[in-house]
Amino acid sequence: MFALLPETPAFFRRTITIERDRSIVGRMPECHIVIGDGTISRRHAEIVWDGARIQVNDLKSRNGTFVNGRRIESSEVKLGDQLQFGRVGFLVAKGNGVPVEVDGDESTDQCDYPRKENELQVTVETLSPAEGRIFEFLVEGLAEKQIASQLRISRHTVHNHVKAIYRQFGVHSRPELLARLLQGGSEQTS
């Protein structure tokens, strides 16, 4: 089981839990996942899940299916990836996809995750592709709003990825992350 967390609440607000092996996304009531937005085709895309891999196939939709901002005909999707049908975006998550609550002030870099007392065991390569893109902007010093604008995704999604990056590196803030990277040396970031 995996879930699609809505990234564009103005167009779609509900978390979708995927438990079946094949799901059709579209506007038609017969579809397994019905999204009533004008940018969604009647039969827009197909999601195939074999219990281990997630495959998304565009069904010749007018406005396209995108994985991490790239238009696709067919693509494997991984946890943490951004999946978009027309203008309606989702974040691929595991389990029942319970969304992480974001405080009203997204500008803070503070997160309340337990610190890892041992050595840094995470490298940039262990981040998901979506986290990797956001990580690059973080170390360049861009604010979450700027990252969202650059990647053309919601600030909420960027904030959730930033928190996941901090959690993986065992830090609470951007300065701690940068210090951790400097401590770890070049073998940690290459």
Side-chain angles (χ1 to χ4, degrees):
M1 170 170 61
F2 69 97
L4 301 177
L5 304 177
E7 284 192 315
T8 48
F11 306 120
F12 197 83
R13 296 178 189 273
R14 180 170 59 89
T15 295
I16 301 168
T17 303
I18 308 289
E19 296 177 349
R20 62 183 339 137
D21 56 350
R22 257 180 215 290
S23 300
I24 301 295
V25 178
R27 272 193 347 255
M28 300 294 288
E30 302 84 44
C31 293
H32 303 111
I33 301 169
V34 178
I35 303 175
D37 183 81
T39 63
I40 305 297
S41 296
R42 290 179 288 184
R43 289 177 43 93
H44 195 98
E46 173 188 49
I47 300 172
V48 180
W49 178 54
D50 67 5
R53 290 176 7 134
I54 306 165
Q55 181 80 23
V56 177
N57 305 310
D58 186 78
L59 300 176
K60 299 186 186 321
S61 65
R62 171 173 276 185
N63 294 305
T65 301
F66 302 83
V67 175
N68 298 321
R70 184 178 53 89
R71 190 170 185 155
I72 58 101
E73 288 182 25
S74 181
S75 177
E76 186 172 336
V77 180
K78 296 189 176 12
L79 297 179
D81 283 350
Q82 180 197 30
L83 180 58
Q84 185 175 329
F85 308 104
R87 68 178 172 183
V88 183
F90 297 91
L91 180 68
V92 180
K94 65 180 176 178
N96 63 3
V98 177
V100 178
E101 292 295 291
V102 177
D103 294 336
D105 181 15
E106 290 184 355
S107 62
T108 179
D109 280 346
Q110 301 296 322
C111 292
D112 295 324
Y113 296 115
R115 294 178 188 271
K116 294 180 183 174
E117 297 303 327
N118 56 352
E119 287 298 308
L120 181 63
Q121 296 176 351
V122 177
T123 64
V124 176
E125 290 80 22
T126 63
L127 299 174
S128 74
E131 290 168 347
R133 286 187 299 281
I134 289 171
F135 176 84
E136 291 175 16
F137 286 116
L138 274 177
V139 296
E140 285 180 20
L142 270 67
E144 289 181 16
K145 280 182 183 179
Q146 293 170 312
I147 296 170
S149 176
Q150 287 284 328
L151 295 176
R152 296 168 52 174
I153 59 176
S154 75
R155 291 186 341 208
H156 177 77
T157 299
V158 170
H159 186 72
N160 285 338
H161 281 305
V162 168
K163 291 191 323 185
I165 291 166
Y166 290 168
R167 186 171 43 246
Q168 288 183 56
F169 280 92
V171 299
H172 292 92
S173 65
R174 187 186 317 229
E176 280 185 286
L177 175 65
L178 295 175
R180 201 85 191 258
L181 292 172
L182 289 173
Q183 263 179 350
S186 61
E187 72 275 6
Q188 296 296 334
T189 58
S190 58

